[in-house]
Every structure is written in structure tokens, then in C-alpha cells.
Amino acid sequence: MYEGTFPHKRYQKTLEFLRNHTPAPSNVLDLGVRNPFVEFMEKEGYTVANTTGEDLDLDTTAVINEGFDMVTAFEIFEHLIAPFNVLRDIKANKLVASIPLKLWFSPAYRSKTDPWDRHYHEFEDWQFDWLLEKAGWKIMAREKWTHPVKKIGFRPLLRLFTPRYYMVYAERITD
């Protein structure tokens, strides 16, 4: 449907993952401000609302809203100091989240120009799994993929083979 129209490999991977595990229609709260990927979700048939840029470490009001079937969080949790609080407070029963994985050959991302654009966490897959479990989620599906870059060097070579992104579909554990 969108073959060749994705600006990023992760957009294609993310949309395929959503189709396979949480097909539309669905009423979605996407953590983070509106972004270009939301348009792909809406074309697919999802109804998407976004958070408004509030500091989710301090204010989890947006995720407490019970009017959503699913919460999505694409490369959000690594920016939070305390992602457990948001994960615990989500009222929706489904979660699709992706994170960049910690790479042993590359330091955590930190913008030189934007003090808010930094990674407080770059998880290993087992750490993110444990965080989700501790916050009351059961992982139903997971996927990893690489992110090659068009550069020459040792680290770009390692990026051809080392997974960079990790995505999960989880459901709320109910007692």
C-alpha cells in the first residue's frame, strides 16, 4: 500500500507490526506530540490522539484517560527518567512501544543543541521486558531490527548486523 513511500525503515517496520498485532480500527493515544508517522497510522484506519508535550515523568494525566483502546509509544521511553510511572498508569489494555536498544559500541544519544533531546535510558531487550512486566504488562509479541547507516567505518559496519530497534506488543495483566 505504501511501498517505497516511507521516509524511514522504522516507519515501515512499525506499520507492519501494528497491522500484524493490533489491526485497525482502534482508538489510539500516541505518546509524544503529533509527528509524521501519525498520518500513516490514520491512513491505515487508526484514530489517533497525541499527548501535548507535557513532561510525562511528572504528569501522567494523559494516559489515565480510559477512552483509548491502545497506547503507542515510539521512541519515547528512553527520554523519560522514570518510564515505570507512565507504564503503570496507562489505562488502555494494549500497548505498542518501540525503543532504541543499547549498543555496546556507541554511547547513549545526547543532542548537542536541544537539552530535552537525550536518552536517559537505552535499554537491552531484557531490561525493557522486565520494566513492562513490573508495570503490569504481558508481552505478546516482539521484534528487533537493524538500522544501517550509509557511512564507512567500524561502527557503521556493526550497525549492519546489530539490532538497533526493539518493538513490543503488550497487554495489560488483569487480576
Side-chain angles (χ1 to χ4, degrees):
M1 179 182 225
Y2 305 105
E3 200 63 37
T5 62
F6 293 101
H8 306 286
K9 176 181 180 180
R10 65 186 169 95
Y11 281 21
Q12 180 178 358
K13 289 287 199 181
T14 301
L15 196 56
E16 288 171 2
F17 192 88
L18 284 169
R19 278 185 197 135
N20 291 335
H21 302 291
T22 58
S26 188
N27 193 18
V28 178
L29 174 64
D30 182 45
L31 301 187
V33 297
R34 188 168 174 89
N35 58 76
F37 184 71
V38 171
E39 292 178 30
F40 288 100
M41 292 176 65
E42 290 172 339
K43 287 178 186 173
E44 194 70 20
Y46 298 94
T47 302
V48 183
N50 284 86
T51 54
T52 59
E54 63 271 37
D55 185 339
L56 294 171
D57 277 318
L58 301 174
D59 180 5
T60 62
T61 305
V63 301
I64 295 172
N65 184 332
E66 295 186 16
F68 297 100
D69 306 315
M70 174 172 57
V71 168
T72 57
F74 305 122
E75 288 86 57
I76 295 294
F77 292 125
E78 68 274 10
H79 296 278
L80 300 178
I81 293 171
F84 173 81
N85 297 327
V86 175
L87 287 163
R88 179 198 57 211
D89 289 350
I90 292 172
K91 294 298 181 219
N93 290 322
K94 296 177 183 178
L95 171 70
V96 176
S98 62
I99 56 164
L101 290 167
K102 179 179 181 181
L103 299 177
W104 61 269
F105 55 85
S106 182
Y109 173 75
R110 182 177 175 185
S111 171
K112 294 180 189 242
T113 58
D114 184 348
W116 294 102
D117 189 16
R118 57 184 60 166
H119 292 181
Y120 292 101
H121 305 281
E122 285 190 351
F123 301 92
E124 293 185 34
D125 56 356
W126 68 268
Q127 292 171 310
F128 192 60
D129 292 354
W130 189 35
L131 174 64
L132 290 168
E133 178 184 309
K134 197 158 176 75
W137 296 93
K138 180 179 180 184
I139 296 172
M140 309 304 285
R142 55 177 57 89
E143 184 176 336
K144 293 183 204 176
W145 66 89
T146 61
H147 180 69
V149 293
K150 296 178 182 179
K151 295 181 181 177
I152 297 174
F154 182 66
R155 290 194 317 185
L157 178 65
L158 290 173
R159 287 180 183 269
L160 289 171
F161 308 103
T162 307
R164 175 60 171 156
Y165 292 103
Y166 181 54
M167 181 169 290
V168 298
Y169 163 55
E171 294 181 357
R172 174 64 69 192
I173 298 170
T174 56
D175 295 329

